[in-house]
Amino acid sequence: MTQHSPKSPQFFLTSPSPCPYLEGQHERKVFTHLVGEKASEMNDLLTQGGFRRSQNIAYRPACETCRACVSVRILADQFEPSKNMRRIAGVNTDLVGVETHAEPTSEQYSLFRRYLDARHNKGGMSEMTVLDYAMMVEDTHVPTSIIEYRRRGPDSFFTGRGEGPLIAVALSDRMADGFSMVYSFFDPEQTRRSLGTWMILDHIQRARSEGLPHVYLGYWVEGSRKMEYKTRFRPQEHLTASGWELYED
């Protein structure tokens, strides 16, 4: 078994593969392992430096001819929702999000499968089994939570919990300066709710309530329709060669 020292992380480079966002492009990634007592501290530093986490791996693009992937973080304490976002928040006032330990359940996987089959049936995650899903949730050495969203019930005011079937799920890392949204999925039939946007709004509110300045959204790729939604949350910063800078289009 390969040993990885948390005190001196080693970085590796992947082979080129087809880019999932821009047709005709190829991607490469630089990555390292997040393990040991310093994993949380390392995850904070790497995320602030443009890395993303997947299980116990931190990675970032290292493409030879393309710099389209840009790290994005929302300035939670300065965030101002648009009119449409306020409408989405109003539509979802009947939902309650409960933060729990990062533990997979069969109910989560059932919703995850429905989401993939409806939204990403040809993507790289489309063949994920229940064991793959469990690894995605559990294989972490950093503070990670699952937030489950359900409808409010008659006792929710007292218990803080929703009732009924699971409607949406967010897998998130808690960092020293905010939240990093690792992955989220939802009931694909609940189109009226715009649940993807709603979960980001909920994370912004959670960050503000805890005095945390940022919500990290991963990468934005200009020209990719899949990524367009990320620039709607203003103000936000993009990581450039000069550091984090306020994004203005």
Side-chain angles (χ1 to χ4, degrees):
M1 180 180 294
T2 303
Q3 299 295 317
H4 305 285
S5 171
K7 295 183 179 180
S8 56
Q10 293 180 300
F11 291 86
F12 307 90
L13 188 64
T14 65
S15 299
S17 60
C19 177
Y21 303 113
L22 298 177
E23 187 175 355
Q25 295 285 352
H26 286 76
E27 68 170 359
R28 299 188 78 177
K29 296 187 179 79
V30 60
F31 69 94
T32 190
H33 294 82
L34 292 169
V35 295
E37 296 179 356
K38 298 293 185 180
S40 180
E41 179 182 341
M42 182 64 64
N43 187 51
D44 281 14
L45 291 172
L46 291 176
T47 301
Q48 292 161 6
F51 280 70
R52 288 285 281 166
R53 185 184 71 81
S54 177
Q55 296 177 218
N56 66 358
I57 298 290
Y59 68 90
R60 68 171 296 172
C63 306
E64 296 177 358
T65 61
C66 180
R67 296 293 182 269
C69 291
V70 178
S71 294
V72 175
R73 67 184 186 188
I74 303 166
L75 301 179
D77 53 348
Q78 302 176 40
F79 172 73
E80 292 291 340
S82 66
K83 181 178 179 180
N84 185 55
M85 290 175 184
R86 291 194 295 270
R87 180 193 65 79
I88 291 170
V91 168
N92 290 290
T93 54
D94 63 330
L95 296 186
V96 177
V98 176
E99 184 175 352
T100 65
H101 294 296
E103 298 178 355
T105 66
S106 58
E107 186 183 24
Q108 291 169 14
Y109 180 71
S110 177
L111 181 62
F112 178 69
R113 269 269 48 104
R114 288 167 54 205
Y115 172 79
L116 289 182
D117 292 344
R119 296 293 188 100
H120 303 287
N121 62 350
K122 295 182 181 180
M125 302 176 72
S126 61
E127 302 300 323
M128 286 181 65
T129 67
V130 65
L131 293 178
D132 295 328
Y133 174 76
M135 287 294 290
M136 181 177 79
V137 173
E138 290 181 324
D139 192 6
T140 175
H141 291 250
V142 306
T144 304
S145 298
I146 281 278
I147 303 176
E148 295 187 338
Y149 298 88
R150 305 176 192 269
R151 286 188 175 88
R152 293 183 185 275
D155 297 326
S156 293
F157 179 79
F158 302 101
T159 66
R161 296 182 173 274
E163 297 181 2
L166 192 60
I167 292 178
V169 173
L171 179 66
S172 301
D173 289 345
R174 181 181 293 267
M175 300 168 49
D177 68 332
F179 292 97
S180 177
M181 297 187 69
V182 177
Y183 196 77
S184 60
F185 54 94
F186 50 84
D187 184 346
E189 296 182 1
Q190 301 274 345
T191 55
R192 182 181 68 92
R193 290 182 177 274
S194 299
L195 288 164
T197 296
W198 159 244
M199 283 188 279
I200 295 175
L201 293 174
D202 183 62
H203 276 72
I204 294 171
Q205 183 56 42
R206 288 172 184 269
R208 293 178 74 158
S209 67
E210 297 189 30
L212 299 172
H214 302 125
V215 174
Y216 290 82
L217 295 184
Y219 301 117
W220 169 67
V221 181
E222 188 172 11
S224 171
R225 293 185 62 184
K226 296 179 183 179
M227 299 292 190
E228 287 179 354
Y229 73 93
K230 294 188 179 183
T231 57
R232 299 173 189 161
F233 298 86
R234 308 288 185 92
Q236 65 178 236
E237 292 180 328
H238 289 189
L239 185 58
T240 72
S242 301
W244 289 97
E245 296 183 351
L246 191 66
Y247 172 69
E248 296 178 344
D249 55 4

